[in-house]
């Protein structure tokens, strides 16, 4: 067989099944969590097409849903769904049923946005570990606005947010999700507790590394107690400056975090890293459990990058984000080294329904797939 970009067709570790202690996957191509902003902005109920959208992508070894808010203050922007009300749970049940009907598996990503929100989103001042404003601007229903200073959570309120994660996890299981992924990445509430520039607290939740780890570990403990650790995963992005977090002591913080998490047999740990795999190289030896990796760079994580993450042992499975938007059958295309369609940035988010469920599966021999195509 002819090698393509250094890999032969016979050499596709991404398409091998994976058997972890808590999770079994028919292939190692995971769909990364991606906010698409198509939910009803008032009710937080997923759009009726969301079931079809995820069912089209059920060939993934695992689907991680878009981030879903665990309470109203934790909503980051327009059209983001929740997992709190009975109507939201009911709508998600249709989604999980559709995915399972296509033979897939789906985890819900539980999300509290922390300071990365705005009063224009839910009429509430965002909350955070400390009253430190995020640099930059934020998108709300009527356009881009300057960020606002968040309100520092009181100690009692922190316990309530921990409980909100646990309650949402129970709702996720009721809705038929196979598990939950806690969103501890990209500068939202969980990471804001870990990072020194966003956590200036001097109480039990801030100051020392032990104190900064307290909130994330309380969330993991509360959720695992409710639904069992085997259904719980955590996504982290060590040292990732997204949303204006600064983690100068990432190596120490995340090494300590993993040491604490090893007492649970979590479904998996999901690490967002750079193509240079800086964090993975020190975290992988510390994590004997299942590890899913995703790369953060200007370009979408590629098949070859995924193959080398598996081959090097840095990851057991690889999450692909942007490629899944326009390629619902991504694992099948990887298997064939078929051409990949591209989605324009304009369809990533928003109430619009084009660019959501209208990307077709690959048809061998069809010339239109030689270039970016949407039906
Ligand atoms: C449209 C869009 C929405 C995203 N929403 C989320 C999200 O809800 N939760 C999350 O953890 N990451 C989110 N991400 C980040 C992706 O999960 C992933 O880390 C990123 O796209 C890099 O992977 P890629 O190169 O394969 O696209 C989003 C990315 C995109 C492009």
């Amino acid at each position: 067989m002819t090698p393509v970009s250094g890999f032969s067709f016979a050499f596709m570790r991404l398409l091998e099944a994976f058997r972890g202690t808590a999770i079994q996957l028919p292939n190692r191509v995971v769909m990364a969590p991606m906010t698409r902003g198509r939910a009803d902005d008032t009710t937080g109920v997923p759009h009726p097409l969301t079931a079809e959208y995820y069912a089209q992508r059920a060939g993934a070894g695992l689907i991680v849903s878009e981030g879903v808010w665990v309470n109203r203050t934790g909503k980051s922007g327009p059209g983001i769904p929740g997992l709190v009300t009975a109507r939201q749970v009911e709508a998600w049940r249709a989604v999980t049923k559709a995915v399972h009907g296509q033979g897939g598996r789906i985890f819900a990503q539980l999300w509290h946005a922390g300071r990365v929100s705005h009063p224009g989103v839910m009429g509430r001042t965002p909350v955070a570990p400390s009253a430190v404003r995020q640099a930059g601007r934020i998108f709300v229903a009527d356009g881009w606005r300057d960020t606002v200073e968040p309100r520092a959570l009181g100690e009692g309120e922190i316990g309530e947010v921990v409980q909100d994660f646990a309650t949402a996890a129970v709702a996720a299981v009721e809705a038929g999700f196979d598990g939950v992924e806690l969103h501890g990445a990209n500068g939202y509430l969980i990471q804001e507790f870990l990072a020194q520039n966003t956590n200036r607290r001097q109480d039990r939740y801030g100051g020392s590394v032990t104190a900064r780890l307290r909130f994330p570990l309380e969330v993991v403990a509360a959720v695992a107690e409710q639904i069992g650790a085997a259904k719980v995963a955590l996504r982290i992005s060590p040292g990732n400056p997204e949303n204006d977090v600064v983690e100068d002591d990432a190596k120490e913080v995340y090494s300590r975090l993993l040491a604490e998490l090893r007492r649970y047999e979590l479904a998996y740990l999901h690490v967002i890293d750079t193509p240079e795999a800086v964090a993975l190289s020190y975290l992988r030896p510390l994590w004997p459990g299942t590890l899913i990796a995703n790369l953060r760079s200007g370009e979408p994580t590629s098949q070859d990058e995924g193959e080398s993450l598996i081959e090097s042992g840095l990851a057991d499975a690889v999450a692909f984000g942007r490629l899944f938007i326009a390629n619902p059958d991504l694992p099948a295309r990887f298997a064939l080294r078929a051409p990949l369609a591209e989605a324009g940035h304009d369809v990533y988010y928003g109430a619009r329904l084009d660019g959501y469920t209208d990307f077709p599966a690959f048809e061998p021999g069809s010339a239109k797939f030689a270039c970016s195509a949407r039906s």
Side-chain angles (χ1 to χ4, degrees):
M1 295 214 176
T2 319
V4 179
S5 311
F7 292 99
S8 76
F9 281 86
F11 182 53
M12 290 217 189
R13 301 291 313 275
L14 281 170
L15 298 172
E16 287 175 3
F18 172 74
R19 294 188 70 78
T21 41
I23 199 163
Q24 279 82 47
L25 309 175
N27 64 62
R28 296 158 188 250
V29 181
V30 172
M31 179 177 171
M34 277 183 297
T35 292
R36 303 299 310 276
R38 265 76 173 178
D40 184 299
D41 194 42
T42 309
T43 63
V45 172
H47 192 279
L49 279 177
T50 301
E52 184 180 339
Y53 166 71
Y54 284 113
Q56 289 172 339
R57 289 154 181 79
L62 175 70
I63 294 171
V64 186
S65 82
E66 62 210 280
V68 291
W69 41 266
V70 298
N71 68 31
R72 288 176 168 74
T73 318
K75 181 180 171 188
S76 185
I80 298 177
L83 194 38
V84 172
T85 68
R87 281 187 60 206
Q88 291 164 357
V89 171
E90 196 185 319
W92 282 116
R93 194 173 288 123
V95 173
T96 61
K97 200 171 163 209
V99 170
H100 292 151
Q102 292 299 315
R105 293 138 299 281
I106 181 166
F107 271 43
Q109 191 188 51
L110 301 188
W111 186 16
H112 190 300
R115 68 177 183 164
V116 189
S117 183
H118 191 277
V121 174
M122 288 302 262
R124 298 165 184 222
T125 302
V127 295
S130 304
V132 180
R133 192 172 76 84
Q134 178 202 346
R137 310 198 85 204
I138 184 162
F139 191 74
V140 297
D142 56 358
W144 290 92
R145 301 268 199 87
D146 288 337
T147 51
V148 299
E149 185 177 293
R151 187 172 63 74
L153 284 163
E155 255 195 77
E157 284 180 296
I158 292 176
E160 288 168 22
V161 178
V162 170
Q163 202 45 54
D164 290 338
F165 271 98
T167 305
V170 171
V173 172
E174 273 172 23
F177 283 102
D178 299 295
V180 300
E181 177 181 287
L182 305 171
H183 194 345
N186 297 347
Y188 299 106
L189 188 65
I190 290 179
Q191 193 176 13
E192 288 165 16
F193 271 90
L194 295 172
Q196 269 169 317
N197 76 314
T198 43
N199 185 347
R200 307 263 178 86
R201 302 178 75 96
Q202 291 301 327
D203 60 4
R204 302 170 62 235
Y205 292 97
S208 65
V209 173
T210 304
R212 281 183 277 141
L213 288 173
R214 195 177 310 280
F215 173 73
L217 290 172
E218 284 184 357
V219 173
V220 172
V223 172
E225 192 183 321
Q226 285 297 319
I227 64 169
K231 283 187 160 49
V232 182
L234 176 67
R235 189 174 216 211
I236 55 174
S237 53
N240 175 355
E242 194 158 330
N243 287 318
D244 189 30
V245 286
V246 181
E247 292 185 311
D248 291 332
D249 56 355
K251 189 168 182 182
E252 184 189 355
V253 169
Y254 288 91
S255 300
R256 292 270 304 276
L257 175 67
L258 265 55
E260 294 291 333
L261 291 176
R262 281 176 61 155
R263 79 177 65 153
Y264 303 97
E265 286 210 343
L266 295 183
Y268 61 87
L269 180 73
H270 191 170
V271 181
I272 303 178
D273 206 0
T274 54
E276 296 75 34
V278 179
L280 281 167
S281 54
Y282 67 80
L283 292 178
R284 175 83 247 206
L286 302 175
W287 188 250
T290 301
L291 196 151
I292 299 176
N294 171 244
L295 300 180
R296 173 184 180 274
S297 75
E299 292 300 312
T301 307
S302 70
Q303 179 172 4
D304 287 351
E305 286 172 324
E307 289 290 347
S308 75
L309 281 165
I310 307 276
E311 190 52 27
S312 64
L314 287 173
D316 299 305
V318 178
F320 297 86
R322 287 162 286 181
L323 289 185
F324 259 110
I325 292 182
N327 301 279
D329 54 342
L330 190 63
R333 292 197 200 209
F334 280 174
L336 295 168
R337 288 275 180 188
L340 296 176
E342 281 175 33
H345 288 213
D346 54 329
V347 304
Y348 282 8
Y349 307 100
R352 58 191 297 170
L353 289 179
D354 62 324
Y356 193 44
T357 52
D358 50 359
F359 290 104
F362 177 65
E363 291 169 47
S366 166
K368 72 178 174 174
F369 288 96
C371 59
S372 312
R374 193 161 88 231
S375 64

